[in-house]
Amino acid sequence: MSPRSASVNEELRRRSRERLLQATVELVDERGYEATTLGDIAGRAGAARGLISYYFPGKRQLLQSAVHRLMHRTLSAALDADPRPEGPEAGSEMLARAIDAVLGLARTHPTLMRTHMAGILQQEGFVQCEEQQRLAAELRRAMTSYGAPDVDADYPLLRALLMGAVVALLLPGIPMPLPRLRAELFSRYGLDWRLGVPPGGEPHGGTREVRTLRETCRCGGVSGGNGAVSGR
């Protein structure tokens, strides 16, 4: 039997890493962070325990990479979903989809996202991994489509606002309602409540009022065209 080529070996390593990331998401979602061991993750992934150490410095870094992978895959699917945005509202629709995709993860994966946010606040902080870079690229894509005048400055602000909203959604005992947080984010960017994936009826003070203001008064805080909001 001839030895495997370098490209085949690379693909096998990629698949093993993907299985470890997926297993981490599944197990932490099911059991929580403390109850999930690296041995559990390796077993679920069908991989050797030592393979985790080959790819990741530790359990916390593995979790962050796994959550960033889930986030960028979810975000990419939302941005590319049919029907594709077109017309004058296309950029606003892209940003609305991005916001709804991230907020939706707090609702569908609360244990995982709560653990992830808590981990970011630890001393080691934010893990700069390839999954995080892909997530950043998808958020930048949404901001570019939206027409942000300075993506390098506006992307970190969007990221911070989304992180704050996710934390508010997941606070034990005193969570903020998703429609209210969504309305605040949509208002910040001048987005119509009906864009993206609305969670239900528009709450009082929702973004339709902001859109009406934009259409009737083309001056001051909100600009027309690409839906950009001044004061950023």
Side-chain angles (χ1 to χ4, degrees), residues 100 103 107 177-183 186 192-204 206-208:
D100 284 337
L103 296 185
R107 183 170 55 184
L178 187 148
R180 177 62 185 277
L181 288 168
R182 183 182 190 268
F186 273 43
D192 191 307
W193 177 263
R194 293 165 294 187
L195 296 174
V197 186
E202 181 178 13
H204 176 69
T207 57
R208 191 169 299 146

Side-chain angles (χ1 to χ4, degrees), residues 145-176:
S145 298
Y146 170 69
D150 185 352
V151 174
D152 288 338
D154 291 333
Y155 152 69
L157 177 59
L158 173 65
R159 181 182 65 194
L161 291 170
L162 288 172
M163 289 173 66
V166 168
V167 169
L169 283 168
L170 297 174
L171 282 175
I174 51 171
M176 287 284 291

Side-chain angles (χ1 to χ4, degrees), residues 22 25-26 28-30 67 70-71 74 101-116 166 170:
Q22 182 61 32
V25 165
E26 294 172 0
V28 174
D29 226 9
E30 294 169 10
V67 175
L70 172 66
M71 293 179 72
T74 301
V102 174
L103 296 185
L105 286 172
R107 183 170 55 184
T108 58
H109 299 277
T111 299
L112 184 71
M113 295 302 291
R114 186 179 293 115
T115 305
H116 174 62
V166 168
L170 297 174

Side-chain angles (χ1 to χ4, degrees), residues 9-163:
N9 285 331
E10 179 64 26
E11 177 62 17
L12 291 174
R13 285 192 292 269
R14 186 193 67 79
R15 291 181 182 181
S16 295
R17 190 175 186 277
E18 289 285 302
R19 288 198 303 271
L20 289 170
L21 293 170
Q22 182 61 32
T24 302
V25 165
E26 294 172 0
L27 287 169
V28 174
D29 226 9
E30 294 169 10
R31 307 177 185 178
Y33 181 76
E34 296 299 334
T36 299
T37 68
L38 293 178
D40 294 334
I41 293 170
R44 176 69 65 93
R49 166 67 176 77
L51 196 61
I52 296 178
S53 301
Y54 176 80
Y55 290 118
F56 306 99
K59 182 178 169 184
R60 182 67 65 182
Q61 291 83 357
L62 169 59
L63 175 66
Q64 282 204 38
S65 292
V67 175
H68 287 148
R69 172 180 176 269
L70 172 66
M71 293 179 72
H72 85 67
R73 287 165 64 94
T74 301
L75 188 54
S76 178
L79 295 179
D80 293 332
D82 292 326
R84 297 295 181 90
E86 57 183 21
E89 291 288 333
S92 294
E93 171 67 20
M94 289 287 279
L95 182 55
R97 289 184 182 191
I99 292 171
D100 284 337
V102 174
L103 296 185
L105 286 172
R107 183 170 55 184
T108 58
H109 299 277
T111 299
L112 184 71
M113 295 302 291
R114 186 179 293 115
T115 305
H116 174 62
M117 298 308 297
I120 289 175
L121 297 176
Q122 300 298 314
Q123 185 173 358
E124 59 266 28
F126 212 57
V127 174
Q128 298 292 328
C129 58
E130 62 183 83
E131 285 76 22
Q132 188 275 330
Q133 292 170 3
R134 290 174 183 166
L135 172 60
E138 292 299 326
L139 287 173
R140 284 176 174 273
R141 176 157 72 107
M143 291 301 289
T144 300
S145 298
Y146 170 69
D150 185 352
V151 174
D152 288 338
D154 291 333
Y155 152 69
L157 177 59
L158 173 65
R159 181 182 65 194
L161 291 170
L162 288 172
M163 289 173 66

